[in-house]
Amino acid sequence: MSVNSTQVSYFIFSFYSDIGLLKYLVFFFLMCLYVIALFVNLLLIVVICMNRSLHEPMYLFLCSLFVNELWGSTGLFPLLLLQILSDVHTIPVHYCYLQIFCLYIYANVDFYNLAVLSYDRYLAICCPLQYSTRMSSKKVAQLIAMTWLIPLVVVMIMVSLNASLKMCGNVIDRLYCDNYTVVKLACSDTTVNNVYGLIYTFIVLVGLVCLIAYTYFKILRVCLSGSKQCRQKAMSTCIPHLASLFNFFSGCFLEVIQSRLSMKGAPILLRIFMSLYFTVSPPIFNPLVYGLNLSKIRVICKSLFSCQR
C-alpha cells in the first residue's frame, strides 16, 4: 500500500484476521501468559531484594534480568491484547516507535545481561580467589548500569534516525511494530540507518557473542580438568544460564528469519509462533529456569509459600 509520506499518521497491522469469537479465547490465553510473566518475575525480584543472603553479584545480575523481562512483557502484551479485541488494527506512528523503543531496549538489555552473567560465572569458576575483589559492589553497580545505559543510548539513536524517515507505505505484516519492517516502508534514503545498524551489530553484538563463547570455553576447560565435585558445583549454576542463552539465541534466529524472509506461504500458526517466541518465551522461561535450578532461590521460594499456608 503506497501513500504520500505526509499522510502517514498511523500504521496498519495486516497480520491480524477476523477469527470471530475465537479471539476471546486467544485473548484469555495471552492474558494468562502476561499474568504469569508478571507474577514469576515480580516474585523473584522481591525474593532477591528482601533476602540479604541473595545480595551476591550473580543474584543482583539476575534481578536486573528479571526487571528487564517485566519491561519487555509490558512493551508487548498490552498493545497485543488490545489489537486482538479490536476490529480495526491500526496504531499511531508515535506509539509504534514507542513500542519499537521498548522491545529493542528489552532485547539488547537481555543480551547484555546474559553476557555479564557469563563473565560473572567465568570469574567465580576460573578465578575464585580473585572473585571478591574483581567483582566488588562498585563493579557490580557499574556492570548493571552499563547493561541498561548502552542499550538506552543505542536504541534512542536508532529510533531517532527511523523517525526522520519519510514513509511511502503504512502496512506492517507483523503482530507488533518491528524496526526492520518499518524501515522497509521508507521511501527516503536509509543508508545512514543501515550503516548504523551494521556497525552496532558487528562491533558490539558480535563482541558480546565472542565474550560469551570465550568465558564458557574457559569454564569448560576448568570443569574438565577439575574433580567431579567441582564439575557438579560449576554446572549447577551454569546450566540455567546456558538454557537462557540457548533460548535467547533461538528467539533471535526465529526473529531474523521472520524479518528477513518472506513468510506469506507459511502456515499461520507457525508465523504466530515465530512472531511471539522471542518476546513471550524469555519473560516466562528465565525466571522459571533460574527459580527451579538455583537452590538458594528455590529454598526461599518454598519457605515463602509454606509460610503462607
Side-chain angles (χ1 to χ4, degrees):
M1 180 177 176
S2 182
V3 295
N4 189 288
S5 61
T6 59
Q7 295 176 331
V8 177
S9 59
Y10 62 90
F11 292 112
I12 301 170
F13 294 114
S14 66
F15 196 94
Y16 294 90
S17 58
D18 185 12
I19 56 175
L21 295 177
L22 189 60
K23 68 181 180 182
Y24 296 106
L25 179 61
V26 175
F27 176 87
F28 177 75
F29 175 71
L30 290 175
M31 175 61 80
C32 289
L33 290 181
Y34 185 34
V35 171
I36 291 171
L38 291 178
F39 174 76
V40 293
N41 283 286
L42 279 173
L43 172 66
L44 293 187
I45 291 169
V46 171
V47 165
I48 292 172
C49 291
M50 298 299 292
N51 290 271
R52 294 188 64 85
S53 62
L54 297 180
H55 291 184
E56 301 173 10
M58 182 180 73
Y59 296 104
L60 295 177
F61 295 140
L62 286 177
C63 189
S64 173
L65 181 68
F66 299 146
V67 169
N68 187 52
E69 305 301 357
L70 288 178
W71 170 274
S73 297
T74 305
L76 172 72
F77 278 104
L79 178 63
L80 186 65
L81 294 170
L82 182 64
Q83 290 294 329
I84 289 171
L85 293 181
S86 178
D87 294 325
V88 180
H89 306 294
T90 61
I91 181 173
V93 169
H94 54 283
Y95 282 128
C96 186
Y97 284 126
L98 176 61
Q99 186 175 51
I100 290 172
F101 173 78
C102 292
L103 293 181
Y104 275 70
I105 288 284
Y106 156 72
N108 279 267
V109 171
D110 242 31
F111 197 13
Y112 278 77
N113 260 310
L114 292 173
V116 168
L117 278 164
S118 298
Y119 176 65
D120 174 74
R121 290 301 82 205
Y122 160 73
L123 289 181
I125 295 169
C126 301
C127 312
L129 299 179
Q130 305 171 33
Y131 181 74
S132 58
T133 55
R134 295 178 65 176
M135 195 56 75
S136 62
S137 299
K138 182 179 179 181
K139 184 69 170 292
V140 170
Q142 289 173 343
L143 288 172
I144 292 176
M146 180 193 73
T147 63
W148 285 88
L149 291 177
I150 294 178
L152 179 65
V153 173
V154 167
V155 175
M156 283 181 66
I157 295 173
M158 181 196 74
V159 172
S160 298
L161 289 173
N162 295 347
S164 65
L165 296 173
K166 293 181 180 179
M167 298 292 166
C168 289
N170 68 340
V171 178
I172 300 176
D173 190 30
R174 296 294 298 272
L175 289 169
Y176 51 86
C177 290
D178 168 70
N179 180 67
Y180 184 74
T181 307
V182 170
V183 170
K184 286 195 297 184
L185 298 174
C187 53
S188 56
D189 186 17
T190 60
T191 302
V192 175
N193 306 67
N194 295 332
V195 170
Y196 178 77
L198 287 172
I199 291 174
Y200 178 68
T201 299
F202 285 102
I203 292 181
V204 179
L205 300 186
V206 172
L208 292 179
V209 170
C210 292
L211 171 65
I212 293 171
Y214 173 79
T215 56
Y216 272 95
F217 172 74
K218 288 289 190 179
I219 290 171
L220 183 61
R221 284 187 60 184
V222 170
C223 289
L224 291 176
S225 60
S227 63
K228 183 179 179 180
Q229 184 179 4
C230 176
R231 289 197 298 270
Q232 290 177 341
K233 186 177 180 181
M235 294 311 296
S236 66
T237 58
C238 288
I239 285 176
H241 185 54
L242 288 169
S244 292
L245 281 170
F246 178 78
N247 190 51
F248 178 82
F249 286 119
S250 297
C252 289
F253 178 70
L254 293 177
E255 185 64 23
V256 169
I257 292 177
Q258 176 85 350
S259 299
R260 299 306 194 267
L261 301 179
S262 176
M263 301 292 296
K264 291 185 178 180
I268 187 68
L269 290 178
L270 176 61
R271 293 184 64 192
I272 292 172
F273 173 79
M274 292 177 67
S275 293
L276 294 180
Y277 184 89
F278 184 63
T279 47
V280 173
S281 174
I284 297 174
F285 179 84
N286 286 341
L288 289 179
V289 74
Y290 281 110
L292 292 174
N293 283 280
L294 296 180
S295 57
K296 279 189 176 182
I297 292 180
R298 187 172 64 248
V299 168
I300 292 173
C301 287
K302 281 183 178 179
S303 63
L304 182 66
F305 285 109
S306 63
C307 289
Q308 291 179 348
R309 292 176 182 174

